Amino acid sequence: MDKYEVNPETMAVIGMEPNKTKIMEYQTDSILEESAYEVMDYSCCYFGSSYQGRAGSKKMLGFNYKLPIIVEETRGIIFFPTTSPSSYDCIWLSLHSIDRVVGDSKGTKVIFKNGKELVIPISKLSLENQILRASRLQCLLDSRKVEKS
């Protein structure tokens, strides 16, 4: 099987085990025999960089951990991690796929624009903070594009 690259249909990259990842897309879900980090790194490489190269958002945002990354700039594919990207169970979410989040004692439910749901074991406040960081990155990119045109 060919390697998977994140695309506009990808809503979430869910680390399940050290070498097992679930991919949620708008229409289908699938399981891959590689880590979530490998999926994200390969996707960045596919679009001309690497995960480490995409971490330039550190300078743009002034944060050092759980950074959102620009997987592909021209289509605005931005993902952010819910935990440390090096953790095998890290979940990467597509900024533009999220409709809303709802928190309760079991975790936080992400409701995607197509109605699919995913419960994540972090607080609603933490997830909202990650969404704000990713949104800020998107705004900075957009403003820089306007400045150059």
Side-chain angles (χ1 to χ4, degrees):
M1 181 172 122
D2 290 334
K3 290 259 196 187
Y4 180 83
E5 66 266 351
V6 166
N7 61 73
E9 294 292 309
T10 311
M11 299 185 307
V13 175
I14 306 162
M16 300 170 64
E17 295 174 10
N19 288 307
K20 194 173 196 176
T21 300
K22 179 178 181 178
I23 302 294
M24 284 182 72
E25 291 187 335
Y26 278 95
Q27 300 299 319
T28 61
D29 294 349
S30 57
I31 304 291
L32 305 175
E33 297 296 322
E34 57 188 311
S35 70
Y37 180 88
E38 289 170 327
V39 171
M40 297 308 295
D41 186 47
Y42 176 79
S43 297
C44 290
C45 290
Y46 182 82
F47 292 111
S49 186
S50 66
Y51 175 78
Q52 293 301 322
R54 296 291 186 189
S57 55
K58 177 191 281 190
K59 287 188 179 185
M60 291 176 74
L61 296 172
F63 297 107
N64 292 318
Y65 60 96
K66 293 197 297 185
L67 293 166
I69 61 169
I70 307 150
V71 177
E72 204 280 324
E73 188 173 348
T74 59
R75 292 187 283 178
I77 301 175
I78 295 177
F79 274 72
F80 60 89
T82 59
T83 61
S84 169
S86 60
S87 296
Y88 77 86
D89 60 349
C90 182
I91 298 171
W92 289 86
L93 298 172
S94 165
L95 174 63
H96 299 296
S97 298
I98 298 171
D99 183 42
R100 64 189 185 283
V101 296
V102 180
D104 63 26
S105 61
K106 297 176 188 170
T108 302
K109 184 187 301 183
V110 177
I111 303 165
F112 295 100
K113 291 179 179 175
N114 68 348
K116 284 186 179 181
E117 298 178 353
L118 176 65
V119 176
I120 299 177
I122 63 171
S123 72
K124 181 180 178 194
L125 183 62
S126 180
L127 184 58
E128 287 174 336
N129 187 43
Q130 290 302 103
I131 291 170
L132 285 173
R133 285 183 182 187
S135 297
R136 177 72 178 137
L137 179 60
Q138 178 69 64
C139 287
L140 288 170
L141 285 173
D142 290 348
S143 69
R144 290 178 180 187
K145 286 178 188 176
V146 170
E147 289 172 7
K148 290 187 176 190
S149 49

